[in-house]
Amino acid sequence: MKELKTLVDFYKTKGEQVSLTITGHSLGGALALLNAYELATNFQKLPISVISFASPRVGNISFRDELYQMGGKILRVTLKQDLVPRMLGIWIYTQVGAELKLDVRSSPYLKRGFNFIGINMFETYIHLVNGFVSSSSSFRSNSKRDVALVNKACDMLVD
């Protein structure tokens, strides 16, 4: 927080409009949300955004409401088939932010079977975000991102 304060003050003295965006995947997504809360508490007039991928639930309804009141903008990217965003603290914790829910079945390049590791991999998420146009459009197959990146650590690509 001390280093962030130094950077924020530095850029503000230069006349820059300063905002903070925090991203994270899985546990990193949960930590991004907790950091956003701390930042919103310490930098009350600074716009703060979070983009999380596959993040589990981290706070209760009061936590969510307070973060919203502090002006936090949160986008949660989830996969329909991923259990991680749904499994922790179902009765105590709640999801925070607007959700972009993607589906592995939307990509012609990904296998349809259940692969817990592959479904939760960051490259799988990025592949699906890259191919996403809208909820009413089909997968954008002409993306520039190499689909082979999905298979670096898991078995998610069709033969």
Side-chain angles (χ1 to χ4, degrees):
M1 288 299 149
K2 183 179 175 184
E3 186 62 30
L4 274 175
K5 180 166 180 21
T6 301
L7 288 168
V8 167
D9 291 344
F10 173 78
Y11 285 105
K12 279 187 174 183
T13 61
K14 300 251 181 216
E16 297 276 340
Q17 287 187 335
V18 180
S19 65
L20 293 171
T21 301
I22 310 160
T23 65
H25 169 257
S26 201
L27 174 60
L31 292 172
L33 196 56
L34 294 172
N35 277 301
Y37 182 84
E38 187 173 353
L39 288 166
T41 302
N42 290 315
F43 300 92
Q44 295 182 356
K45 295 189 180 179
L46 191 66
I48 297 168
S49 303
V50 175
I51 303 171
S52 69
F53 299 86
S55 175
R57 303 164 194 241
V58 268
N60 61 18
I61 292 170
S62 297
F63 171 83
R64 179 197 65 198
D65 293 347
E66 192 168 343
L67 188 56
Y68 289 162
Q69 287 175 352
M70 290 189 279
K73 305 290 183 214
I74 298 112
L75 173 64
R76 294 182 305 109
V77 181
T78 64
L79 296 185
K80 182 178 180 181
Q81 294 80 4
D82 193 354
L83 300 176
V84 172
R86 299 188 310 227
M87 68 181 184
L88 294 177
I90 293 171
W91 296 279
I92 299 169
Y93 298 125
T94 188
Q95 294 289 10
V96 180
E99 181 181 35
L100 172 59
K101 186 178 266 188
L102 303 172
D103 191 331
V104 169
R105 295 174 297 176
S106 68
S107 171
Y109 305 106
L110 299 179
K111 290 181 179 176
R112 302 296 185 258
F114 184 74
N115 177 340
F116 179 77
I117 302 291
I119 287 171
N120 187 258
M121 292 296 282
F122 185 65
E123 287 295 342
T124 303
Y125 271 79
I126 293 301
H127 168 71
L128 290 167
V129 167
N130 196 326
F132 182 80
V133 177
S134 75
S135 56
S136 61
S137 298
S138 59
F139 189 83
R140 184 176 66 98
S141 58
N142 64 345
S143 72
K144 304 257 188 272
R145 185 167 180 81
D146 189 349
V147 71
L149 292 169
V150 172
N151 237 26
K152 285 176 74 175
C154 62
D155 187 30
M156 281 297 293
L157 293 181
V158 294
D159 294 334

